[in-house]
Amino acid sequence: MVELRKFPRFKIAYSSTKTQKWGTAIQTSGSGKVRTLTNRIYPQWLISCKIPALTNEEQNELLGFIALGRGAFTPFLWWDHEHHHEYKAQLPMITPGIYQAVMRIGGYAQPVSYIEKVTVFIDGQKQAENAYAVSNGRIRFSASPPGGAVVTATYDYWWKVMLQSDSIAVEQLNANLAKTQTIKLVSVE
């Protein structure tokens, strides 16, 4: 898998929004019976945000980041200011010895594809860093935990996203201050 670049961590305006989209088709018959259908296993997240203050150096960093990814052509990693950390999250097992990192929002859990600052526990006991490897949001143990063991982990995660449109707009406010118009991102798998 190609290593994804991380979007620069600028201060985001408080007016940011996050929308969950399932793409559900709803069909209602003449009698009022309803049928629904979605082809999504996980929701698509739409993130809208603004960066209220950028120095000229930060503006160049942002524009260069977008140019290197060729606009919406290349997905990247986004550190969300509200949803980015899990503390002792119980991990689902994919196969013996391989566990998937997740983000939890309320009672819902969704796989994540990039984690860092990882600490792993088996039945509450902290594991040595050389006892496992982390790749693509998965934790692979060198020796599988015993059957029935509860594997939990604490980590930071980044969202895999791309620009919803192919452009980004930056407004120059004065000699060394700029701001962005709304940046629209969409989650990808």
Side-chain angles (χ1 to χ4, degrees), residues 12-18 48-50 82 182:
I12 303 298
Y14 286 109
S15 60
S16 300
T17 60
K18 196 176 290 120
S48 298
C49 62
K50 294 180 182 180
E82 291 87 29
T182 300

Side-chain angles (χ1 to χ4, degrees), residues 26-70:
I26 302 170
Q27 187 177 47
T28 306
S29 70
S31 67
K33 186 174 182 175
V34 175
R35 290 182 182 242
T36 58
L37 173 72
T38 184
N39 61 358
R40 298 195 66 84
I41 296 172
Y42 305 110
Q44 182 177 54
W45 294 92
L46 307 171
I47 302 167
S48 298
C49 62
K50 294 180 182 180
I51 303 171
L54 292 167
T55 64
N56 286 343
E57 184 178 318
E58 290 170 330
Q59 179 183 178
N60 287 337
E61 181 183 4
L62 173 63
L63 294 173
F65 180 88
I66 300 302
L68 286 169
R70 294 190 240 158

Side-chain angles (χ1 to χ4, degrees), residues 84-105:
H84 63 267
H85 183 75
E86 288 295 337
Y87 178 75
K88 292 192 174 179
Q90 186 169 343
L91 305 180
M93 181 173 62
I94 298 171
T95 60
I98 302 175
Y99 293 79
Q100 177 66 55
V102 295
M103 66 172 177
R104 298 176 297 181
I105 299 177

Side-chain angles (χ1 to χ4, degrees), residues 18 20 42-45 47 78 80 82-87 89-92 100-115 137 155-160 187 189:
K18 196 176 290 120
Q20 190 182 100
Y42 305 110
Q44 182 177 54
W45 294 92
I47 302 167
W78 168 263
D80 187 80
E82 291 87 29
H83 299 103
H84 63 267
H85 183 75
E86 288 295 337
Y87 178 75
Q90 186 169 343
L91 305 180
Q100 177 66 55
V102 295
M103 66 172 177
R104 298 176 297 181
I105 299 177
Y108 177 76
Q110 179 175 333
V112 293
S113 58
Y114 183 84
I115 58 174
Y155 48 86
D156 285 348
Y157 61 89
W158 292 62
W159 297 55
K160 185 177 176 183
S187 64
E189 299 300 321

Side-chain angles (χ1 to χ4, degrees), residues 54 74 77 85 108 116 132 138 144 169:
L54 292 167
T74 308
L77 297 173
H85 183 75
Y108 177 76
E116 61 187 15
Y132 58 89
R138 295 179 177 170
S144 294

